[in-house]
């Protein structure tokens, strides 16, 4: 396949997170000429922008890790293995779910390499800023980079921006949060360095230390269980998710408050560890994410919204193009996640219509932009599932462009 004479590319993918990577690789494997545009200077989405250092959704839940996602995601895992990560299924002691532990520098490099090997053109430091369309089709996007703006034409487009930024500028109706406009909490996962790795991490001591801190501390945590923690592969750092923050709306003011509070809380929390938890006497804050972790923002109008019922019953269907296998993990209340298992055979099919924009023939969704109600969204947003919906969107977009 080659771009039609009037088009610069067959498929333009907006956003370089798991959804966008899956989409770009899926479209490239289907023979499309693909451009991927990412506003940061590196790929990876939440894994590299927000310290989300585990791929969830690759496996069904249960005593053994049964694979739910393969395809182009396996190319990424293979590249990570070449860089020294073992990528073996790891059962989280906190949630009993199967995950793959990540180290962000390996993720960045692996994604650069795998996209290059598949001939995908990548533009970093470039934001999708505007779009032109007819009533039924997107025609072009305007890219804003260091050197100004340029208009790029393609046959198909994929919104993998997480926050539905392409859909928004294309004038597609979007819902914010759930039906009531309520957003899942944001969180600030951090890395803690300098701990004595010969001392097992004492969850009870952490719980006790934060019970004390919460009495007078400036940033009381709603997590009463010591938070979720693991070791960052290839390092002695602890990955720790302990700070959650209710997000009232999508205003810049609210995001500014959330970012600033998360930063200050991170300093306080590491000091609490240092002063009160054995093994952390020399601990320091190694890293906050480049930005806070945003679980939910806008949902663009799709042709079908996957429902919580689809997941709870493990609904399988002939038009399924990807599997949702991660439990419904609802963060409606900050610091109090609620998990509900997938029913049936342990996964539900995601139909192609979840990946298609309502009313626009050549706009597709990948990752957390796909059509889903509030309950289903709390499952499908994880990165393993995002690779799978991305791959399916990429293949469909390439077919549409042919
Ligand atoms: C605190 C927290 C913890 C989580 N824990 C886990 C976990 O342990 N495991 C897991 O699998 N999932 C987890 N998730 C969910 C998961 O990280 C996200 O839902 C997932 O990253 C979605 O992938 P995506 O590709 O759709 O979006 P994102 O990862 O958000 O990627 C979107 C990309 O698009 C780019 N972008 C946005 N707008 C533009 C634009 N206009 N132009 C160009 N580029 C743009 C962004 O910079 C970003 O790189 C967590 C989320 C949070 C917030």
């Amino acid at each position: 396949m080659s771009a039609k004479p009037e088009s610069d590319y067959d498929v333009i993918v907006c956003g370089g997170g798991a959804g966008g990577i899956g989409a770009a690789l899926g479209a490239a494997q289907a023979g499309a000429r693909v451009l991927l545009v990412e506003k940061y200077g590196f790929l990876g989405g939440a894994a590299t922008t927000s310290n989300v250092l585990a791929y969830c959704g690759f496996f069904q839940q249960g005593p053994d890790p049964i694979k739910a996602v393969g395809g182009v995601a396996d190319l990424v895992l293979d590249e990570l293995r070449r860089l020294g990560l073992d990528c073996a299924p790891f059962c989280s002691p906190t949630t009993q779910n199967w995950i793959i532990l990540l180290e962000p520098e390996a993720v960045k490099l692996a994604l650069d390499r795998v996209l290059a090997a598949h001939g995908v053109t990548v533009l970093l430091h470039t934001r999708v800023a505007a779009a032109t369309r007819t009533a039924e089709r997107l025609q072009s996007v305007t890219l804003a980079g260091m050197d100004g703006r340029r208009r790029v034409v393609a046959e198909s487009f994929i919104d993998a921006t997480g926050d539905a930024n392409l859909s928004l500028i294309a004038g597609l109706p979007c819902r914010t949060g759930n039906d009531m406009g309520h957003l899942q909490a944001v969180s600030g996962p951090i890395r803690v360095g300098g701990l004595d790795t010969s001392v097992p991490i004492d969850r009870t001591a952490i719980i006790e230390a934060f019970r004390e801190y919460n009495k007078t501390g400036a940033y009381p945590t709603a997590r009463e269980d010591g938070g979720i923690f693991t070791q960052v592969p290839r390092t002695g750092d602890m990955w720790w998710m302990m700070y959650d923050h209710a997000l009232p709306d999508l205003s810049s003011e609210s995001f500014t408050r959330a970012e600033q509070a998360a930063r200050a809380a991170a300093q306080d929390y590491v000091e609490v560890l240092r002063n009160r938890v054995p093994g952390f006497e020399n601990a320091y804050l190694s890293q906050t994410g480049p930005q806070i972790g945003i679980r939910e923002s806008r949902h663009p109008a799709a042709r079908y919204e996957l429902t919580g019922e689809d997941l709870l019953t493990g609904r399988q269907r002939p038009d399924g193009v990807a599997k949702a296998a991660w439990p419904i993990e609802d963060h409606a209340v900050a610091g109090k996640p609620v998990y509900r298992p997938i029913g049936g055979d342990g996964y539900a099919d995601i139909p192609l219509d979840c990946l298609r924009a309502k009313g626009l023939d050549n706009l597709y969704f990948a990752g957390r932009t796909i059509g889903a109600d509030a309950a289903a969204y709390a499952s499908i947003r994880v990165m393993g599932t995002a690779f799978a919906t991305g791959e399916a969107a990429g293949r469909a977009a390439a077919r549409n462009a042919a």
Side-chain angles (χ1 to χ4, degrees):
M1 190 187 308
S2 65
K4 296 202 176 138
E6 67 277 16
S7 297
D8 300 302
Y9 293 92
D10 295 312
V11 178
I12 295 181
V13 179
C14 302
I21 300 297
L25 291 172
Q29 279 194 338
R33 291 201 333 147
V34 184
L35 170 67
L36 181 143
V37 183
E38 166 56 49
K39 70 179 176 182
Y40 281 107
F42 47 84
L43 301 170
T48 49
T49 66
S50 306
N51 257 339
V52 177
L53 298 186
Y55 282 150
C56 300
F58 271 87
F59 305 100
Q60 295 179 204
Q61 304 315 299
D64 299 310
I66 300 168
K67 215 168 162 184
V69 174
V72 298
D74 281 343
L75 301 172
V76 173
L77 298 184
D78 286 346
E79 201 58 57
L80 286 170
R81 287 189 192 102
R82 277 191 274 279
L83 288 165
L85 296 195
D86 81 359
C87 295
F90 174 82
C91 190
S92 160
T94 329
T95 65
Q96 307 303 315
N97 292 319
W98 293 102
I99 59 179
I100 293 173
L101 297 178
L102 301 173
E103 187 278 304
E105 297 312 315
V107 172
K108 292 177 192 172
L109 188 55
L111 297 179
D112 285 344
R113 288 182 173 169
V114 78
L115 290 190
H118 286 77
V120 174
T121 303
V122 175
L123 291 178
L124 302 177
H125 287 282
T126 305
R127 181 186 288 263
V128 180
T132 61
R133 57 174 282 186
T134 62
E136 292 99 24
R137 291 178 71 78
L138 275 188
Q139 295 167 308
S140 72
V141 287
T142 299
L143 306 182
M146 283 291 206
D147 54 354
R149 292 180 165 234
R150 74 179 100 161
R151 188 167 162 261
V152 190
V153 176
E155 293 300 314
S156 299
F157 299 82
I158 300 179
D159 187 344
T161 61
D163 301 318
N165 289 323
L166 173 59
S167 302
L168 185 74
I169 57 180
L172 202 67
C174 294
R175 180 187 90 230
T176 296
N178 68 10
D179 288 340
M180 315 287 286
H182 181 82
L183 294 154
Q184 295 200 32
V186 295
S187 296
I190 61 173
R191 282 173 70 163
V192 181
L195 54 153
D196 180 346
T197 49
S198 68
V199 179
I201 296 177
D202 183 345
R203 184 177 286 281
T204 310
I206 297 177
I207 293 171
E208 192 46 48
F210 277 87
R211 211 171 275 147
E212 278 306 305
Y213 171 81
N214 274 3
K215 290 179 186 165
T216 54
Y219 302 96
T221 174
R223 287 193 182 254
E224 291 161 353
D225 59 356
I228 300 182
F229 51 77
T230 54
Q231 186 176 349
V232 181
R234 302 196 307 180
T235 78
D237 284 6
M238 174 174 90
W239 177 89
W240 191 30
M241 188 159 69
M242 186 64 163
Y243 181 74
D244 306 272
H245 184 100
L247 190 69
D249 53 47
L250 298 180
S251 68
S252 300
E253 287 79 1
S254 293
F255 277 109
T256 304
R257 273 192 293 277
E259 290 283 1
Q260 292 174 341
R263 256 194 292 286
Q267 293 287 348
D268 268 22
Y269 288 10
V270 175
E271 196 179 323
V272 171
L273 292 181
R274 214 169 25 238
N275 293 336
R276 303 190 195 188
V277 181
F280 284 87
E281 292 77 9
N282 298 311
Y284 57 88
L285 176 61
S286 161
Q287 198 200 27
T288 61
Q291 69 164 49
I292 199 163
I294 302 168
R295 282 204 180 75
E296 184 174 31
S297 54
R298 274 179 295 272
H299 304 276
R303 295 182 188 201
Y304 179 71
E305 281 205 340
L306 198 70
T307 66
E309 196 57 23
D310 288 336
L311 297 187
L312 293 170
T313 58
R315 183 172 176 198
Q316 296 174 24
R317 38 195 301 163
D319 55 349
V321 290
K323 286 181 180 173
W326 188 251
I328 294 174
E329 180 189 334
D330 187 9
H331 291 256
V333 181
K336 309 267 185 263
V338 175
Y339 293 83
R340 281 184 286 166
I342 307 291
D345 293 337
Y347 70 89
D349 282 328
I350 301 172
L352 183 61
D353 274 354
C354 290
L355 280 45
R356 300 205 65 194
K358 203 172 185 173
L360 276 174
D361 281 345
N362 63 345
L363 175 60
Y364 295 82
F365 303 135
R368 63 189 174 93
T369 54
I370 72 165
D373 72 8
Y377 179 75
S379 161
I380 60 83
R381 64 190 174 80
V382 295
M383 293 184 279
T385 314
F387 277 117
T389 57
E391 176 172 357
R395 291 188 186 283
R399 272 197 307 277
N400 185 313

